[in-house]
Amino acid sequence: MSNKNSNILPIVVMFLLFFMIAFVTNFAGSMGVIVKTQFGASNAMAQLGTLANFIAYAVMGVPAGVILKRKGYKFTSLLAVSVGFIGVGIQWLSGYAESFGVYVLGAFVAGFSMCLLNIVVNPMLNTLGGGGKRGNQLIQFGGSCNSIGGTLAPIILGYLIGGSAAAAQVGDAAPAMLAAMLIFLLAFVIISLTKIPEPHIETAEQRAAAKAQKDQHSPLSFRHFVLGAVAIFFYVGVEVGIPNTANLYMSANPAVGPAIAGTVVGLYWLMMMFGRLIGGAVGGKVSSKAMLVTVSSLAIAMLVCVMFFPEAW
């Protein structure tokens, strides 16, 4: 019981980091409205922050896994929050530097942090919960915090910008950036002072044994892995592209403005949480194939309507 009580504070920190993963990632998409105004970026260039954020995953994915295996949860999480603090800080400084390149660099660095956090928070939270049903339950709570972060990021930034995007500046987003940096700093202090169990850290003997026994099959030799990778590529493009583009489109309309646009985009991410809950509820009764075909067909029909119906509708 005492061990569970001692884990309460780091568990809360993991919930905050779940929140930060979605908040910082979706913040990059919402920042497109600001960089388009302050730096004169085109609609396409305004999305470079999001692109840099996700490219960092491709660069850092394998190294992050190696770091986690060799250094463990505590080291990896401390590294992640440190890099996150620096990445958000660089984006904040881009407004004072009046540099679009500095902003993109900050988004890229923040992406490194998000990649590290994604790799560490799920297994670490499961370990802190003692594994089994309790660990899985904590991960579900963490996923809810993630959805809340994704919902709040565009709403908060929209209201910080105000009713018009014409004079939007990086400085408008400073309160949210400083709050994110404070959370990263608080997480660093708490994690550094907490004893984290490390049951899965890889020893030198295990690394030597893994090298001696190489798998005959590469991941790419499995058809479902390849198709799954292609599907995730398109899925993430759709998931992130729709709210980012919608935010730019609605914010540019004087009748809508950034505040209302941010709220609508926030509702998009909130509906995704409801979709997860519904999918979890019916997933044991309906096949994955039937679920995918149904919701994908409905989404395609709605998108076609949006593209071809009169704008006033």
Side-chain angles (χ1 to χ4, degrees):
M1 180 64 70
S2 61
N3 184 49
K4 288 184 178 180
N5 290 336
S6 66
N7 286 339
I8 290 177
L9 193 55
I11 286 173
V12 172
V13 172
M14 288 302 104
F15 286 167
L16 284 175
L17 293 181
F18 260 106
F19 176 93
M20 291 304 297
I21 290 172
F23 187 87
V24 173
T25 301
N26 289 357
F27 198 80
S30 302
M31 281 290 290
V33 177
I34 291 179
V35 300
K36 182 180 176 182
T37 301
Q38 181 170 357
F39 303 130
S42 64
N43 285 331
M45 294 292 286
Q47 299 305 304
L48 282 184
T50 300
L51 180 63
N53 194 288
F54 281 99
I55 285 179
Y57 279 75
V59 175
M60 195 62 191
V62 174
V66 174
I67 292 171
L68 180 62
K69 286 172 63 178
R70 297 188 179 183
K71 296 293 186 179
Y73 295 138
K74 186 169 185 175
F75 179 89
T76 308
S77 57
L78 288 173
L79 177 62
V81 296
S82 300
V83 174
F85 181 91
I86 295 171
V88 175
I90 293 173
Q91 293 179 75
W92 173 55
L93 291 174
S94 70
Y96 297 96
E98 291 285 342
S99 172
F100 180 62
V102 172
Y103 162 73
V104 174
L105 173 64
F108 185 67
V109 174
F112 279 133
S113 172
M114 298 308 102
C115 178
L116 284 163
L117 287 176
N118 267 299
I119 285 176
V120 74
V121 291
N122 283 283
M124 184 172 172
L125 194 55
N126 185 55
T127 299
L128 289 170
K133 294 181 179 178
R134 169 67 173 167
N136 289 334
Q137 185 182 43
L138 290 178
I139 291 175
Q140 295 305 316
F141 286 140
S144 298
C145 293
N146 185 270
S147 295
I148 293 171
T151 300
L152 290 180
I155 295 176
I156 291 174
L157 188 57
Y159 277 91
L160 287 174
I161 295 173
S164 174
Q169 300 285 308
V170 173
D172 296 333
M177 291 183 178
L178 292 174
M181 293 169 68
L182 181 61
I183 292 175
F184 281 134
L185 181 60
L186 181 64
F188 183 92
V189 172
I190 293 175
I191 293 171
S192 63
L193 296 176
T194 303
K195 182 175 176 58
I196 305 294
E198 300 281 4
H200 306 299
I201 193 168
E202 187 181 59
T203 64
E205 292 77 11
Q206 288 173 329
R207 288 198 296 273
K211 287 183 179 179
Q213 186 179 5
K214 291 185 177 180
D215 198 327
Q216 297 179 351
H217 304 284
S218 73
L220 295 177
S221 64
F222 295 94
R223 177 173 174 268
H224 282 81
F225 175 85
V226 175
L227 293 176
V230 173
I232 289 175
F233 173 85
F234 284 105
Y235 165 77
V236 174
V238 171
E239 177 191 68
V240 178
I242 288 177
N244 287 7
T245 306
N247 201 5
L248 287 173
Y249 175 73
M250 290 186 290
S251 296
N253 187 336
V256 181
I260 296 177
T263 301
V264 174
V265 172
L267 289 174
Y268 167 91
W269 293 108
L270 183 63
M271 291 301 103
M272 191 168 291
M273 181 175 72
F274 290 145
R276 289 191 177 105
L277 295 174
I278 295 171
V282 303
K285 302 176 182 178
V286 181
S287 70
S288 298
K289 181 177 181 179
M291 290 173 64
L292 282 170
V293 170
T294 301
V295 297
S296 297
S297 300
L298 184 61
I300 291 171
M302 287 184 168
L303 286 171
V304 170
C305 290
V306 169
M307 288 188 290
F308 292 103
F309 279 10
E311 185 175 352
W313 291 15

